[in-house]
Amino acid sequence: GQVANLVRYDIAAGGVAAGPASGMPETGWYWNAAEGGRGYFIEAQRDQIFFGGFMYRADGQPVWYYFSAQAVANAAGGVTIQSPLNLCAGGQPVSDAAHVPSCASTGQSVGLVFTNPFTATLMLPDGRAISLARFTLY
């Protein structure tokens, strides 16, 4: 019976109204079918991309990684971003009182390479590459 107002914020000046520039990835949820319990969200406005990764540590605690940067065209006909990686942890657990997460830079860099608007490769600081695909419900 409660109402919650959701607000979409600009990640680039006038970005919500302008939408993504030509060639940018599709905004929405992405995933890798081999990674249970992980999800990724990508927002594209103008030539800016905001990326959020939502997952769990080995001890079961949730962590969120995020970064945002300007996208540049790549040789594959898509876009690439390179950015410092940030981490938020210690947030709200399911069965406890409210907790505010702490967020900070990891001191590492991450890359995201799109070859088309629906698939990407996430390049992690340790050299691993994770394939991501746009998740659609319908």
Side-chain angles (χ1 to χ4, degrees):
Q2 295 182 358
V3 174
N5 294 318
L6 302 178
V7 177
R8 188 169 172 210
Y9 291 98
D10 283 338
I11 60 169
V16 171
S22 178
M24 292 291 281
E26 192 172 284
T27 291
W29 288 100
Y30 286 73
W31 73 318
N32 179 307
E35 293 185 327
R38 292 184 178 195
Y40 306 91
F41 188 81
I42 295 170
E43 171 78 12
Q45 296 177 8
R46 297 192 182 271
D47 63 350
Q48 293 288 124
I49 293 177
F50 176 86
F51 175 95
F54 306 93
M55 53 205 66
Y56 297 92
R57 290 185 173 163
D59 65 1
Q61 294 299 309
V63 294
W64 306 270
Y65 292 93
Y66 69 96
F67 57 91
S68 185
Q70 183 178 12
V72 295
N74 62 38
V79 296
T80 299
I81 66 171
Q82 190 77 24
S83 177
L85 181 62
N86 302 291
L87 167 71
C88 294
Q92 180 64 45
V94 174
S95 61
D96 200 355
H99 294 261
V100 175
S102 60
C103 301
S105 173
T106 65
Q108 299 174 314
S109 185
V110 66
L112 189 60
V113 180
F114 284 87
T115 54
N116 62 55
F118 314 105
T119 60
T121 301
L122 176 62
M123 307 301 294
L124 298 177
D126 65 5
R128 288 182 295 144
I130 299 174
S131 296
L132 302 179
R134 175 78 160 86
F135 183 79
T136 54
L137 295 174
Y138 308 102

